[in-house]
Amino acid sequence: MTRPPLSVITACRACGAPDPVTIHAFGDTPLADRLRDPARPETPDYRAPLTLCHCTACGLGQLRETVAPRILFGADYPYHSSVSPALQAHFHASARALMDRLPLAPGDLVMEAASNDGVMLAPFHAAGHRVLGIDPADGPVAHARARGIDTRHAFFTAALAREMAAEGLRARIFLANNVLAHVADVTDFTAGIAALLTPDGLAVLEVPWLLDLIDGGAFDTIYHQHLLYLSLTALVPLFARAGLVLNDAEPLAIHGGSLRLFVGRQPGQSPRLTALLAREAARDIRSPDLYAPLLDRMGQIAQDTRAALLRLKAQGARLAGYGAAAKATTLLHLLDLPPGTLRCIYDKSDWKQGLAMPGTDIPIRPASALHADDTPDALLLLAWNFAPEIIAQNAPYLARGGRILIPVPRLREITA
Ligand code: JHZ
């Protein structure tokens, strides 16, 4: 086992209160998205402790460990947002809604931190607006630039934001989708937004919501990239410390349950944000007891899924996975299946095919190969958050007698 460079927190990542309470220690787990290249067997197959904890002062879930970001999001980062058609449709619709909500004047700049392959900037660019992405991952940055999206190849930090501000750059719209939860120094990140947002600007961030994680049993979204498990109760003071105001929050179904946050410089709280904060208060969001149903559900899902797969295997079924998602690493670690139980994992992404899952070395094959001669009898759906879309795409597979096992929010089996 090789351990990556990592550090450990002793105080809350947001409010600084001492000693967040340990909720669950997953032990040494492989690093999600660090896919194995069979042509480079010497590359370390890292494992690092993964410990979920909770700040009882501000109500923020978080990891105790911080694996060095360059290990998690560097040269080989395989996640390209545009691969999932549903995600692409989501970001395009979101961009159009924003253009309606905040009509942009000529010269206004739309900036995005962790812009990945430019999936959400593309519609602004196509509408003739100035856009600028910022992202640290080599492959997605090259992809974004190839489609004409101007992108800085860097991690977004307050220091970078101040450099950009000194160049005269200011964002009328500042986007940050699925990145706040990945940031080790979240105070620095929000300070960066404050340094760049125009006085009348709007920052729009999509983040996973802690209550959806718990209620949806989405324990597999806990992995080293996700340092924060966000509650609105913790977010309001976090933005306030940066001189920003969380004005509104919109619940979204995407990624198993997220929030779209609207942050600006003017005071005010929308009625729906007030209602969501009241929901968190009613659930006692600062209490570690909040997680009890999640831990129960996690145990049940792991037990049921493992038993179902081993039973099918014993009956001679050919088994495979579908969707080499980051979250699959946590689920597979928990399932601890005998080697060879899943012959492969099918995935649409050109950036994942031919590689193998960290920790288990399960090979990733093109989704199109699913319809070849050696069709598996059953598929474990690891990208369960896109279940409707993936089931629809694979209707011919089901029609030929295939089965799809969906582990989250609780194990169920889909057949034709
Ligand atoms: P998907 C990602 O996590 C990355 P992941 C990141 N860690 C993050 O924070 C969260 O999102 C929010 C494939 N697929 O999007 C594509 C098909 O093959 O659920 C992906 O490899 N066929 C930054 O990786 C995977 O499944 C399809 O039809 O857990 C889905 O990964 C579809 C729809 C997807 O997120």
Side-chain angles (χ1 to χ4, degrees):
M1 183 185 83
T2 314
R3 180 148 296 178
L6 63 82
S7 57
V8 170
I9 56 159
T10 52
C12 171
R13 293 175 182 274
C15 76
D19 301 328
V21 177
T22 296
I23 303 296
H24 184 74
F26 288 82
D28 286 313
T29 72
L31 305 187
D33 278 341
R34 285 277 314 187
L35 301 180
R36 308 275 301 145
D37 184 348
R40 290 190 293 158
E42 72 289 355
T43 323
D45 195 8
Y46 290 120
R47 276 170 196 257
L50 179 72
T51 312
L52 178 66
C53 50
H54 190 69
C55 174
T56 54
C58 75
L60 181 70
Q62 49 205 288
L63 290 191
R64 192 165 302 287
E65 299 81 12
T66 311
V67 172
R70 68 187 157 77
I71 302 281
L72 297 175
F73 306 107
D76 299 324
Y77 188 61
Y79 188 74
H80 289 237
S81 307
S82 292
V83 166
S84 299
L87 202 59
Q88 189 163 148
H90 166 79
F91 285 126
H92 283 206
S94 171
R96 279 192 298 274
L98 255 177
M99 283 186 261
D100 290 343
R101 180 176 170 140
L102 191 77
L104 292 165
D108 280 349
L109 178 62
V110 183
M111 262 188 216
E112 184 172 8
S115 46
N116 196 274
D117 59 17
V119 65
M120 184 154 174
L121 289 177
F124 289 99
H125 181 62
H129 299 300
R130 281 174 71 212
V131 300
L132 179 59
I134 302 141
D135 197 280
D138 297 16
V141 169
H143 187 181
R145 287 178 178 163
R147 51 154 87 165
I149 308 292
D150 188 9
T151 306
R152 301 234 175 157
H153 189 188
F155 284 97
F156 181 74
T157 59
L160 176 67
R162 283 192 281 269
E163 267 173 44
M164 293 169 82
E167 292 168 34
L169 296 169
R170 288 287 184 287
R172 183 79 199 291
I173 295 183
F174 188 97
L175 305 170
N177 297 313
N178 297 309
V179 57
L180 196 69
H182 300 60
V183 174
D185 189 346
V186 70
T187 303
D188 179 82
F189 191 92
T190 46
I193 300 177
L196 285 167
L197 201 65
T198 60
D200 59 350
L202 179 65
V204 184
L205 299 89
E206 286 188 19
V207 299
W209 188 22
L210 179 55
L211 281 192
D212 279 332
L213 163 65
I214 291 170
D215 297 343
F219 67 87
D220 52 349
T221 61
I222 302 169
Y223 49 84
H224 297 96
Q225 286 177 32
H226 292 169
L227 297 170
L228 307 179
Y229 301 88
L230 295 153
S231 68
L232 290 162
T233 306
L235 284 163
V236 170
L238 174 70
F239 286 112
R241 283 192 291 273
L244 297 168
V245 185
L246 176 58
N247 298 122
D248 187 18
E250 176 186 2
L252 303 169
I254 199 83
H255 284 303
S258 301
L259 291 169
R260 182 180 286 143
L261 309 174
F262 296 91
V263 175
R265 296 192 187 274
Q266 310 308 322
Q269 192 174 92
S270 70
R272 72 176 162 187
L273 172 55
T274 307
L276 291 168
L277 284 163
R279 250 175 83 186
E280 289 190 351
R283 293 283 295 274
D284 207 357
I285 196 83
R286 290 184 172 82
S287 164
D289 298 343
L290 186 68
Y291 294 87
L294 177 72
L295 299 180
D296 286 351
R297 186 90 71 91
M298 176 168 89
Q300 195 64 52
I301 290 173
Q303 189 183 319
D304 293 351
T305 307
R306 192 169 199 279
L309 290 171
L310 294 183
R311 195 166 48 243
L312 284 165
K313 188 81 187 167
Q315 291 162 1
R318 291 163 300 182
L319 307 177
Y322 189 100
K327 62 178 90 60
T329 302
T330 299
L331 180 67
L332 292 172
H333 173 75
L334 229 84
L335 290 179
D336 192 23
L337 297 166
T341 307
L342 300 182
R343 319 157 104 202
C344 67
I345 296 175
Y346 295 98
D347 195 287
K348 268 191 170 172
S349 173
D350 293 342
W351 292 276
K352 296 186 178 180
Q353 295 161 8
L355 302 176
M357 294 301 283
T360 54
D361 274 337
I362 301 172
I364 302 169
R365 301 194 59 204
S368 53
L370 176 55
H371 308 288
D373 294 338
D374 63 343
T375 305
D377 301 298
L379 288 175
L380 176 65
L381 185 53
L382 298 155
W384 50 263
N385 46 320
F386 293 121
E389 181 180 358
I390 292 171
I391 291 167
Q393 277 169 32
N394 291 294
Y397 165 75
L398 292 169
R400 286 202 312 272
R403 306 157 164 210
I404 299 182
L405 302 184
I406 307 181
V408 177
R410 50 180 60 77
L411 183 67
R412 64 197 167 106
E413 185 178 313
I414 306 286
T415 57

